[in-house]
Structures are given as C-alpha cells and as structure tokens.
Amino acid sequence: MLEYDFMRTAFLAALLVALVCGPVGWFLVLRGQTFASHALSHVGFAGATGALMFGLSPLTGLAGGALGAGILMGLAGERVAGRDVMIGLVLSVAMGVGALFLHLLTRSASAATALLFGDILGISPGMLGWLAALSAGCLLGLAVLARPLLFATLQPEMAEARGVRLQVLDVLFLALVAIATAECAQITGVLLVFTLMVAPAATVLRLSLPPLGGLAAAAGLALAEAWGGLILSWETDYPTSFWIALLGGAGFMLVGLVQRARGA
Amino acid sequence: MTRAGHEPHGMTPAVPESIRLQDVTLARGGRVVLSQISLAIPQGSFVGVLGANGAGKTTLFHALLGLEPPVRGGMWVNGQPVRRGNSAVGYMPQMRKLVGGQFSGWSMVATALHGQRWGLPWYGRAGRAAVDAALAAVDAQALAQRPVATLSGGERQRLLLAQTLLDDPSVLLLDEPLASLDPARMRETVERIHALAQARRMTVLMSAHDINPLLGVMDHVLYLARGRALLGTEEEVITTDALTALYGAPVDVVRAGGRVFVVAEGGGSALHMQDCGGCSAHA
C-alpha cells in the first residue's frame, strides 16, 4: 500500500497529527477540558464551511475558527470553561451556522462528509507542509508550557502563589488545543476529534506513568491508533475514521479491563 | 500584647521582623474583610491564625502572597514589600478535589519544583535530589511510589507540606491544614510542622477553625473578627475580655478538660462554628 503516493501522504499526515494530538490530549484529559475541545472542533466546522464559501482552504477556516473560539474561551475563564451548558450552546450554534454555510455552498455533500468524518486519503502533499508547520509550532509551544501547565493543572492555588499566571496559561493552552483540533479534524473529521485527541490520552492516563513518560506514551499510542486505522482501512475498505474510533475505544476499554483483572 | 489598629511598638526589636502590616485594609469581591490592620510578627514565630469562616484568614494569606493587593496600607515580608511569586513565602492551600490522583507521590511533589518556570517538567539530578530531600523532611519516602489517589488525607497533607518546602521558604502560610484530618492526625500534623519550623527557622502562619490542636505550640495567636485583628500570646488573646473587646459582643472563653472553648453569649457551642458570615440559621 505504500507504493501509492496518497497512502504515503496519509501515513505522514497521521504521524504529524498524532504526535500533537497525543500530548495535547493528555493535558486536556488531565485538566477535564475534553468537552471544550469537542466544542472547538464544532466552531472549527463553521469556520471551515465559511472558508469554503469564500474559496479558502477548509484547514484555514478550521484553524481560524477554533483558534478564535479557544482564545475567547480562555479569556472568559472559569465563567465559561466549566459550564457545560454554555459550551454546548456555542457548539450547537456553530454547527447550525456550519449547516447554513453548507446549504449555501453548491457542492455541499462531499465537503460536508469530508469535514464531519475526515478524509485522510484526500490530503494533498501541499497540505502536508501546513500540517508539519502547525505540528512543529504546537509541539514547541507545548514544550514551553508543559512545566507550569502541569503545576497549574494539579495544584492551581499553589501555582498561583508561586507566580504562575493561570489565565495566561489557560488561553495559551486552549490556543494549542484549537490548532491540534484543526489538525486532527483533517484526519478524523470534526465529529470524531475525540477519537485521536482524547481516547489515546485517556488510555495512557490510566497507566499511572510519570508526566514525561505519559506525554510520550500518549503520542505513541495516538500514532499507533492512527496508523492502525489507516492499515485496517486499506485492508477492509471501511473508513479510516471508523477504525481509529474503534481502536481508540477498544484500547481504553482493554486497559480498564486489564487493570480490573489485576484487582487494581 | 499588640492591639491591632495601634502601632506595634510592643514587639521587642531584638528579633528581626518576618511580617509587617502597616495600616492594611483588605477587601474581597468589593467587601472590606480586614480594616486598618497593623501588626508585626518576629522571625521564627509560630502563629495560629484563628477566626470564623469569612473573617479574612484566606484573604490575609492571599494578600501576603501578593495575589490580592491591599486596598490601602503596606505589607512587608522579611523587610521587602510583598510581591507575587516570592519564593521566600511558601503556601499550602486548603486541600481540594484531587487532580491527577494516578500520579505517584514523587511525581506529585516534583510538579511544584520550580513549577513556575517555562519548559518541560524535566528535573535533573539536583532537582530529583531536592524532591527526595523534601519527601524525607516530612517522613514521606514511603509514599513516593504510591499513587496519590490511594493515600489518606493525612498522607496527602504531608506531600503538600513537602511541596512547600522545596523552595526552602523562610515564611510558611498554611491554610487550614487540619480541616480534613481526623483528631488523632491533627496534633501529629501540628507537631510535625512545629518541629520543621524550628529546625529550619521558619515563620509559620497556620489558620485553623479550632484552637485546641494548636495549644502549647503557638508563640502567637492572630485572632480575626469583625474586620479587626488581635495579635498576642495565647494567654493574652484567648481570654473573655480580649475576645469580647475584639468581637464587640459578649464572648466567653471557657476552659474545660485541658481544652478551650470560645462561646458566644446565649450560644451553646463554639463561636467559630456558628459565626459564619452569611448564615443565620443558628441566630
């Protein structure tokens, strides 16, 4: 399967995306902000359909929409970030706006499917460059944030007393989440961002690894699930997103069952 | 005895000051909590900070950490004006919902090691030694490899204490460290902190709901009520006269069975339990 250009591109894209989604998702799960990332992907959907309307690339719209929403969410702080209802409303309004944009677009059906459920085989080599740039930026940003972010996540009061600016961290982190979400949506679609952002990270967090080991393992597991999905998709002709979702869920359950069997 | 609102001349100048408040007014959410407080705490003093819920204990700590600047007045720690992120001031917040309970005790303590610095949580040899030393200082080596979620309240408390020691602070602010402990652990915790403070010459401000676990170890009592503060020794502050004057209402200090009870007129139970700001159920 690697003799085909589009498959090589797909494997590379999955590598670039998974290496970011794993570690970003690790913090996301630890911070209890997974729902926020779900909402960001939906705002990204509105952005992507809007971008299509104006003849821009959907990735631009996705990243732009998610980034804007992420920064706003961070600035609003506790008032919004912890409120399920607020996030849920933003999410549904964004999806509604996205539906409107799709309606206004002429070639809506294929675009909608690609955005909602992902189209990893349709990623162009040109897009690969963009993904590489976003991933590098995202990983670099996370490497700079990781230490205070971990401290602030586990012990916010103590971190604040040490001089950590909690809100600055929150805004910066949600900006990273937005970019990671936009990247992830290229592979899994906006509806299934959870599969690559949250499932591997949540699985790894069950393992009681120390922080750096956990971050690396989350990246590794996300990569394994993304590539596994691609291979299974090649073998079965079922959608990649389906396999990635299935692998993510199965991995999470498997670790849970093994731990229960051990009497943990 | 140093009466709040007056110049704290009563303190002997032989021991340098650790904390000094000059005419400080503190507010929280627009409401004045402490008004025109002046006091000085000498270095190495072990201070029990007492008062009802909402009397301003946490607000005072936040102000000393530079998190909430005073409405007016000046505050100094070790002769320096209070500033945010001063590593000379260690802070142990109230125990809250556990996040990251799957991490080992060691990992949990290590997150506080220069946790404010940008970069990866990579600690290096010196950092790992510092974490080991902090764990040893609170006799928590045995907790290092256990997931924090499996620890008891008292054990988690020790890890928190170890974290505050990482920066080798000269002032420790401990917010209600006894709140979630069973009575047997309370005294043990107080004695552990007292011994640590003496060995490291730290000034300790420890807020508490109940004075009894602190009896005998406190050099000073800082009693907060009605926006005012009273600083002095146990014998000076915990008396019917002193607390009646502070509260501006009849308060009895009753000693029974080696324990102290602060009782409001007409009320049967200790004052700190009842006088909780907005709640009027027991009025």
Side-chain angles (χ1 to χ4, degrees):
Chain A
M1 66 190 149
L2 285 177
E3 61 268 29
Y4 294 98
D5 271 345
F6 70 91
M7 279 311 275
R8 286 202 296 272
T9 307
F11 272 99
L12 266 178
L15 170 79
L16 291 171
V17 172
L19 288 184
V20 170
C21 283
V24 170
W26 187 88
F27 272 111
L28 207 52
V29 175
L30 196 63
R31 292 170 66 80
Q33 287 181 315
T34 54
F35 191 49
S37 106
H38 192 61
L40 288 184
S41 73
H42 287 61
V43 178
F45 174 71
T49 50
L52 278 174
M53 261 184 42
F54 293 104
L56 299 167
S57 95
L59 177 60
T60 313
L62 247 171
L67 198 59
I71 290 171
L72 281 180
M73 209 181 271
L75 288 177
E78 285 286 299
R79 277 171 294 155
V80 169
R83 302 265 168 93
D84 289 356
V85 173
M86 186 69 111
I87 294 176
L89 279 176
V90 170
L91 179 159
S92 38
V93 169
M95 277 313 255
V97 171
L100 172 68
F101 287 161
L102 272 183
H103 171 78
L104 298 174
L105 275 172
T106 42
R107 51 191 180 87
S108 64
S110 66
T113 312
L115 280 173
L116 289 174
F117 298 106
D119 183 18
I120 189 173
L121 300 183
I123 288 178
S124 65
M127 185 106 95
L128 219 49
W130 278 109
L131 287 180
L134 288 177
S135 289
C138 219
L139 280 181
L140 196 69
L142 195 67
V144 172
L145 289 191
R147 191 168 183 145
L149 189 62
L150 181 65
F151 191 23
T153 300
L154 298 185
Q155 281 147 328
E157 294 98 341
M158 205 182 266
E160 200 178 20
R162 271 282 130 271
V164 175
R165 304 270 170 182
L166 298 184
Q167 194 171 22
V168 172
L169 267 189
D170 205 33
V171 170
L172 291 176
F173 176 64
L174 280 172
L176 289 184
V177 172
I179 293 170
T181 301
E183 285 193 65
C184 186
Q186 301 304 308
I187 291 183
T188 63
V190 293
L191 288 182
L192 296 173
V193 161
F194 245 60
T195 57
L196 216 48
M197 285 280 271
V198 174
T203 308
V204 164
L205 275 167
R206 284 186 156 184
L207 297 175
S208 303
L209 295 170
L212 275 181
L215 284 164
L221 187 59
L223 181 60
E225 289 179 359
W227 279 2
L230 265 174
I231 294 167
L232 286 167
S233 166
W234 174 267
E235 298 295 334
T236 60
D237 214 25
Y238 291 169
T240 317
S241 311
F242 160 72
W243 283 116
I244 296 179
L246 196 73
L247 287 175
F252 184 73
M253 299 244 279
L254 197 68
V255 169
L257 287 175
V258 168
Q259 285 186 330
R260 184 170 295 188
R262 278 193 196 158
Chain B
M1 172 168 55
T2 307
R3 180 72 174 85
H6 298 286
E7 284 292 304
H9 288 309
M11 216 58 78
T12 45
V15 184
E17 283 168 6
S18 174
I19 291 172
R20 182 179 187 85
L21 271 60
Q22 192 76 54
D23 199 24
V24 168
T25 297
L26 299 175
R28 180 163 230 179
R31 188 175 68 92
V32 169
V33 180
L34 291 169
S35 172
Q36 295 182 298
I37 308 292
S38 294
L39 53 84
I41 295 170
Q43 270 178 21
S45 180
F46 193 103
V47 184
V49 182
L50 297 162
N53 282 336
K57 291 172 288 185
T58 301
T59 306
L60 175 65
F61 285 178
H62 280 190
L64 284 169
L65 289 165
L67 297 177
E68 289 176 45
V71 180
R72 51 175 294 195
M75 310 179 77
W76 292 266
V77 172
N78 298 333
Q80 305 285 321
V82 160
R83 66 183 168 85
R84 189 190 174 113
N86 183 353
S87 64
V89 185
Y91 176 55
M92 184 160 115
Q94 283 188 45
M95 244 203 284
R96 53 196 286 287
K97 193 171 110 335
L98 182 63
V99 177
Q102 67 271 51
F103 291 125
S104 69
W106 197 95
S107 295
M108 185 64 86
V109 171
T111 57
L113 183 74
H114 306 308
Q116 73 280 15
R117 289 188 193 163
W118 302 112
L120 289 170
W122 177 259
Y123 307 112
R125 184 186 304 215
R128 288 196 294 274
V131 174
D132 290 339
L135 281 166
V138 297
D139 298 321
Q141 296 102 319
L143 311 178
Q145 300 310 321
R146 287 173 52 196
V148 179
T150 64
L151 303 181
S152 71
E155 289 168 332
R156 275 177 60 199
Q157 190 79 259
R158 266 146 74 193
L159 295 183
L160 278 176
L161 189 60
Q163 290 187 302
T164 64
L165 297 178
L166 283 172
D167 279 308
D168 214 5
S170 58
V171 176
L172 264 193
L173 307 178
L174 311 171
D175 198 352
E176 298 274 2
L178 308 179
S180 49
L181 302 183
D182 59 80
R185 290 281 167 277
M186 285 185 186
R187 190 66 194 178
E188 184 189 305
T189 301
V190 169
E191 276 163 7
R192 182 190 306 282
I193 293 169
H194 187 239
L196 270 173
Q198 290 212 313
R200 294 171 175 237
R201 301 173 183 282
M202 292 187 292
T203 308
V204 175
L205 268 67
M206 177 168 171
S207 69
H209 241 74
D210 180 13
I211 190 172
N212 286 294
L214 293 168
L215 288 177
V217 299
M218 294 182 290
D219 301 307
H220 295 93
V221 179
L222 177 60
Y223 209 108
L224 307 178
R226 312 236 155 168
R228 295 184 292 173
L230 184 60
L231 179 72
T233 62
E234 256 173 61
E235 294 75 28
E236 290 167 338
V237 174
I238 308 301
T239 65
T240 297
D241 288 345
L243 289 185
T244 297
L246 180 68
Y247 273 99
V251 172
D252 278 318
V253 174
V254 181
R255 291 172 194 271
R259 289 168 59 83
V260 174
F261 301 90
V262 180
V263 190
E265 189 185 50
S269 54
L271 190 61
H272 346 277
M273 308 299 176
Q274 274 198 7
D275 185 15
C276 56
C279 68
S280 54
H282 301 275

